[in-house]
Amino acid sequence: METQNFQPEQENIKQKSDKSEFRRGIAAGMFGMLLIVVIAATIIGVFWKKDVLQEKISEAGSEESTQESTKDTISSSEVEKKAGTIADILDQYYYEDIDEDALVDGMYAGMVDGVGDPYTCYYSAEEYSSLMETTSGTYYGIGAVLTQDAETNVVTILHVYSGTPAEEAGVKDGDIIVKVDDVEGNSMELSELVKHIKGEEGTTVHLQLLREGEEDYLDFDVERRQVEIPTVEYQMLEGKIGLIQISEFSDNTPEQFDAAIKDLQGQGMEAMIVDLRNNPGGVLQAVCSMLDEILPEGTIVYTEDKYGNRSDYDSDEACLDIPMAVLINENSASASEIFAGAIKDYKYGTLIGTTSFGKGIVQSIIPLEDGSAVKVTMAKYFTPNGNYIHEKGIEPDITLEYEYLGDKDADYEPMQDNQVLKAIEVLGNSTNE
C-alpha cells in the first residue's frame, strides 16, 4: 500500500481499520457522549456545509442556496438528535462504566470506517505513534519479534535481531516470556505487553524466560536502546549472483539496500536476484529511491487523484547495469508492485513467480493536532507504461509456483528454492550471452 504522509510523505501497508475499536467505543457515559455530539456536529457540519457556504458566497441571497443550507442544517440536527438519544440509552442501561476516551476514538474511527475503504482509517495518538515506529524502521526497545498464542496468550520470542540488546543479553529464538519486570507474560494482549518491554533509551527491562531444555526459568536484564529493524538480507550465490531479500520498505531500507549492493559488488557480483515475495509494501519514497539507483532516466511510477492531478516519481540517468531477476508472489503488494512493475516496463529484469497482490491505490496520512491521524486513499498509481494494476496484480514473465526442495523442518536454504533456482538459470543464460 502506498501511503504519502503530509509531514513527511510516507507509505505504509499495514492496515488499522480496527472496527472493534469503534464497536467498543460506542459505550459511554452521558458526559462523554454529549461531548461527542458537539464534536460530531462540528465535523459533520464542515463536510456537509462546505459546498453550501461556497455557493452562498458566490450566489448570496439566492433561493437555491437557502434551500440547500436548510436541508444540510436539518440533516446535521437529525444526527445530533439521534446521537443524544443513543447517549441517553447508554447512560441509563449499559451495565458497566465506560472508557470515554475510547468512545471518542471509536466515534472517529467509525466515521472514517463509514467510507467503506479498508485502506482509509483513523489512528488514535497511540496507534499513530506506533505506526511511525514501524515505517521509520527504528524504535527504542530490545530488538526482538514476539508472537502470541491466541488461545493461551503465551508470548514467544519469534526472532532476535542480530546485534541488538536482546542478542547481547542472551535471549534466543523460541524463548517463552514468563514475566516482563513484574508483569505476567500471558496476562494481557501482546500490544499491551510490548509497551512494558519498550521504553526510554538506556533503561533496563527484566525478562524472565522459559527455554526448552532448561529446568529453571532464565533471568535477563536487557538494556533498551535504539533498534534499527533490518529489512534487507543478502548473500552471494553460485555464479557470482547476488541474492537480496527485502521484507518491507521502511525509511531505512534504501540505505540497507545500497550497502548490500556495494558489499556484493565488492565480492564480484555479476547478476542480481531481488526477492520481494511476501513483501507487503511500505514507504513510497523508499521504493522510489531504490529504483532510482537501479533504473535509467525516466518515470518510475506516477499517481493521479480524482481531479486528474498527476504526480511523477522519476529516476535519473545513473543506473545499475547488470542482469536481474525479481521474485514475486500473491503476497507481494503495493510498493513491491511498484518495484516489480517498473522493472517489467523498462524490461530491466525478469519477473519470476506468481501474480502479485494487486494494490494500485495510494494513501496519505494526515496528522491531527492531538497526535492522532487519518489515512485516506487519495490517488491511483500507474506503472511507467500507464498500467493500473489494482485488483489485477502484475503477471510474472515466468510463472512458477513455489516449491521447497529441501528439508522443510530445517533452516531455509536458497539453493533448495525452486524459484531461486529458476532465477539462477535465467541469469546464467543472460551472463553467458
Side-chain angles (χ1 to χ4, degrees), residues 158-227:
L158 185 64
H159 180 63
V160 175
Y161 290 119
S162 176
T164 61
E167 183 189 52
E168 293 170 5
V171 179
K172 295 184 177 181
D173 296 358
D175 287 349
I176 294 174
I177 296 181
V178 180
K179 281 187 178 182
V180 177
D181 290 329
D182 294 327
V183 178
E184 297 290 338
N186 63 349
S187 64
M188 60 186 66
E189 293 297 320
L190 181 59
S191 59
E192 293 298 315
L193 187 67
V194 167
K195 295 176 186 176
H196 293 275
I197 298 175
K198 293 180 178 179
E200 293 184 9
E201 185 175 21
T203 59
T204 300
V205 59
H206 182 80
L207 300 181
Q208 187 176 80
L209 305 176
L210 177 63
R211 180 174 297 168
E212 185 177 358
E214 298 286 346
E215 294 183 2
D216 299 324
Y217 294 139
L218 303 178
D219 293 279
F220 300 93
D221 290 311
V222 187
E223 181 185 5
R224 299 180 178 102
R225 296 203 304 261
Q226 180 171 300
V227 176

Side-chain angles (χ1 to χ4, degrees), residues 97-167:
D97 293 333
I98 304 163
D99 185 338
E100 294 174 4
D101 291 335
L103 178 64
V104 174
D105 279 332
M107 191 255 327
Y108 298 142
M111 182 178 182
V112 176
D113 185 58
V115 173
D117 173 19
Y119 303 108
T120 295
C121 54
Y122 168 80
Y123 295 98
S124 67
E126 185 177 20
E127 291 169 338
Y128 181 52
S129 176
S130 177
L131 174 66
M132 289 299 96
E133 281 187 356
T134 302
T135 58
S136 70
T138 59
Y139 67 96
Y140 293 103
I142 65 172
V145 180
L146 312 181
T147 185
Q148 184 174 48
D149 187 285
E151 296 182 358
T152 65
N153 268 11
V154 170
V155 175
T156 303
I157 306 288
L158 185 64
H159 180 63
V160 175
Y161 290 119
S162 176
T164 61
E167 183 189 52

